[in-house]
């Protein structure tokens, strides 16, 4: 892709997200979503092959449907209230349709089917943008209108998303699909706490984005897309592979790693609000995520570990070779 065109596309995507996050007018929010959607389509099809074309088509159809529901909900609310303000979402039907539109854009269950398929069909760099940057705009709107939305509907969607994120990733061997199901599960945790403490949702979002960027960056360094290739990378880049597996256990919420903190705080907040049953179910479902991350760690690290005959000198050389660009990641992990 031409660097100038690539820069223009990134700028358009950035401006679309900023327009959504800073607007208080529904029409400007819808415009920002459209700018964002149309800008990311070329990034999904950077490598021209049928799989990326199929993934981009699925993404476009899903996001276009969500945008249609969003503008329809806005129109119904306009006829009911007479204004375009975001904070005047008083019509129950408009509120329910807005919830469906935003959760469809996020990839929450039961509108999650596009996320694994699209993520699997695109390059790792595009998958990184899809699972991090593209979550900011819908979550910012949900953050602003959370007091006006049906909390029971959000809780049901959150619980379904955590369950799907756990069950869907159990038998996967493709790293991109595993990260996609992990994204669905993490979005469920964020939506679950939205009704009680929206600020805690932002904390969870920061942690999720930080860990996802780290894992995708390391996968791109390794050029790894499957569990098998990740296990082979132990012989070439042992430090990189080790950090990938530690970050995955962190995403699963294994204490005392960083990913455990937001889950612990969310459960604590829900217990304070007497939502004990929901928090218990969420904790049990989180074990599914932790299980398949532990399985990845076991399969990739204990099946093809270098033997002691491969010499300690090679390991020391590889560790020292990787250390300069691994130092920032190690610092992040120890925060």
């Amino acid at each position: 892709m031409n660097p100038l065109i690539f820069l223009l596309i990134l700028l358009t995507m950035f401006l679309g997200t900023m327009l959504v996050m800073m607007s208080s007018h529904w029409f400007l929010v819808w415009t920002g979503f459209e700018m964002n959607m149309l800008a990311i389509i070329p990034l999904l099809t950077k490598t021209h092959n049928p799989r990326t074309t199929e993934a981009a088509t699925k993404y476009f159809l899903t996001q276009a449907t969500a945008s249609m529901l969003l503008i329809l909900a806005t129109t119904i609310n306009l006829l009911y209230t007479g204004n375009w303000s975001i904070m005047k979402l008083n019509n129950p039907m408009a509120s329910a349709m807005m919830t469906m539109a935003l959760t469809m854009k996020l990839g929450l269950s039961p509108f999650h089917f596009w996320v694994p398929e699209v993520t699997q069909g695109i390059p790792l760099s595009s998958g990184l943008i899809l699972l991090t940057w593209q979550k900011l705009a819908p979550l910012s709107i949900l953050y602003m209108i959370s007091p006006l939305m049906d909390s029971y509907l959000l809780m049901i969607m959150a619980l379904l998303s955590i369950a799907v994120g756990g069950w869907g990733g159990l038998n996967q061997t493709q790293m991109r699909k595993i990260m996609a199901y992990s994204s669905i599960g993490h979005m469920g945790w964020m939506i679950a706490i939205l009704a009680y403490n929206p600020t805690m949702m932002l904390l969870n979002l920061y942690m999720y984005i930080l860990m996802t960027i780290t894992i995708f960056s390391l996968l791109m360094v390794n050029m790894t897309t499957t569990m098998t290739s990740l296990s082979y990378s132990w012989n070439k880049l042992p430090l990189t592979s080790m950090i990938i597996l530690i970050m995955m256990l962190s995403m699963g919420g294994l204490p005392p790693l960083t990913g455990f903190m937001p889950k612990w705080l969310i459960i604590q907040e829900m217990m304070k609000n007497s939502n004990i049953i929901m928090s218990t179910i969420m904790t049990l479902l989180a074990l599914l995520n932790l299980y398949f991350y532990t399985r990845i760690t076991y399969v990739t690290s204990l099946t093809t570990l270098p033997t002691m005959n491969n010499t300690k000198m090679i390991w020391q050389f590889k560790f020292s070779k990787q250390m300069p660009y691994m130092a920032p990641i190690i610092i992040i992990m120890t925060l």
Side-chain angles (χ1 to χ4, degrees):
M1 186 181 290
N2 188 303
L4 185 61
I5 295 174
F6 182 68
L7 183 62
L8 185 62
I9 289 171
L10 287 180
L11 181 62
T12 306
M13 188 174 65
F14 175 78
L15 290 177
T17 303
M18 290 299 107
L19 184 62
V20 173
M21 295 174 73
M22 294 187 294
S23 296
S24 59
H25 193 285
W26 277 120
F27 187 75
L28 290 177
V29 168
W30 178 79
T31 305
F33 275 125
E34 293 302 297
M35 288 175 60
N36 199 344
M37 177 188 70
L38 295 175
I40 198 176
I41 297 295
L43 297 181
L44 301 183
T45 56
K46 280 195 303 185
T47 55
H48 299 288
N49 56 62
R51 293 193 68 183
T52 57
T53 304
E54 180 187 352
T57 304
K58 289 177 180 177
Y59 181 79
F60 173 76
L61 292 175
T62 307
Q63 298 297 311
T65 305
S67 296
M68 179 197 67
L69 287 173
L70 189 144
I71 198 67
L72 181 59
T74 304
T75 306
I76 292 172
N77 189 64
L78 175 66
L79 294 174
Y80 183 77
T81 62
N83 63 64
W84 290 87
S85 175
I86 287 181
M87 302 309 295
K88 298 289 183 181
L89 191 65
N90 300 325
N91 190 308
M93 181 183 294
S95 177
M97 293 182 69
M98 188 65 65
T99 305
M100 291 173 60
L102 293 174
T103 51
M104 192 179 295
K105 283 187 172 292
L106 276 178
L108 282 177
S109 182
F111 309 111
H112 66 278
F113 297 100
W114 64 271
V115 182
E117 299 300 323
V118 172
T119 309
Q120 178 60 27
I122 58 179
L124 283 170
S125 56
S126 302
L128 172 60
I129 297 173
L130 181 68
L131 297 181
T132 54
W133 182 262
Q134 293 300 97
K135 307 295 183 184
L136 296 179
L139 282 174
S140 65
I141 298 299
L142 284 171
Y143 178 83
M144 286 188 281
I145 65 174
S146 58
L148 310 173
M149 306 188 79
D150 186 356
S151 59
Y152 293 105
L153 180 60
L154 287 177
M155 281 295 174
I156 292 171
M157 286 186 169
L159 198 60
L160 285 175
S161 299
I162 296 171
V164 167
W167 283 109
L170 285 179
N171 293 322
Q172 299 297 331
T173 58
Q174 299 289 328
M175 298 304 298
R176 284 172 290 189
K177 276 196 175 182
I178 288 170
M179 294 304 298
Y181 280 111
S182 176
S183 173
I184 295 170
H186 277 84
M187 290 300 119
W189 281 88
M190 293 178 208
I191 298 302
I193 197 59
L194 189 62
Y196 299 107
N197 192 340
T199 308
M200 199 167 290
M201 182 208 72
L202 295 180
L203 171 66
N204 201 343
L205 178 63
Y206 297 150
M207 293 291 103
Y208 163 75
I209 289 177
L210 193 64
M211 291 185 290
T212 304
I213 289 175
T214 305
I215 291 176
F216 267 96
S217 302
L218 294 173
L219 290 176
M220 284 186 279
V221 168
N222 267 3
M223 293 183 291
T224 301
T225 56
T226 64
M227 287 174 58
T228 305
S229 57
L230 182 61
S231 65
Y232 293 154
S233 68
W234 272 99
N235 296 322
K236 299 182 297 179
L237 301 168
L239 180 60
T240 308
S241 303
M242 183 181 70
I243 295 176
I244 289 174
L245 299 179
I246 292 174
M247 292 303 300
M248 285 189 170
L249 290 175
S250 179
M251 288 196 79
L254 182 71
L257 300 174
T258 311
F260 172 69
M261 180 183 65
K263 287 184 171 62
W264 177 39
L265 293 175
I266 287 173
I267 291 169
Q268 188 179 31
E269 187 70 24
M270 295 182 74
M271 296 283 280
K272 286 179 182 177
N273 287 276
S274 302
N275 202 339
I276 299 172
I277 296 176
M278 178 79 174
S279 57
T280 305
I281 296 173
M282 288 169 59
T283 306
L284 293 174
L285 291 174
L287 295 175
L288 293 172
N289 291 79
L290 188 57
Y291 169 75
F292 69 73
Y293 283 129
T294 308
R295 184 174 66 91
I296 294 171
T297 306
Y298 174 79
V299 170
T300 57
S301 63
L302 297 183
T303 54
T304 56
L305 276 173
T307 62
M308 292 303 292
N309 296 330
N310 284 347
T311 84
K312 203 173 179 184
M313 301 269 308
I314 296 176
W315 274 72
Q316 290 173 349
F317 171 73
K318 290 172 180 174
F319 270 70
S320 62
K321 189 177 177 182
Q322 297 173 62
M323 190 56 69
Y325 62 85
M326 286 300 159
I329 297 172
I330 295 172
I331 292 170
I332 290 172
M333 287 172 57
T334 55
L335 291 177

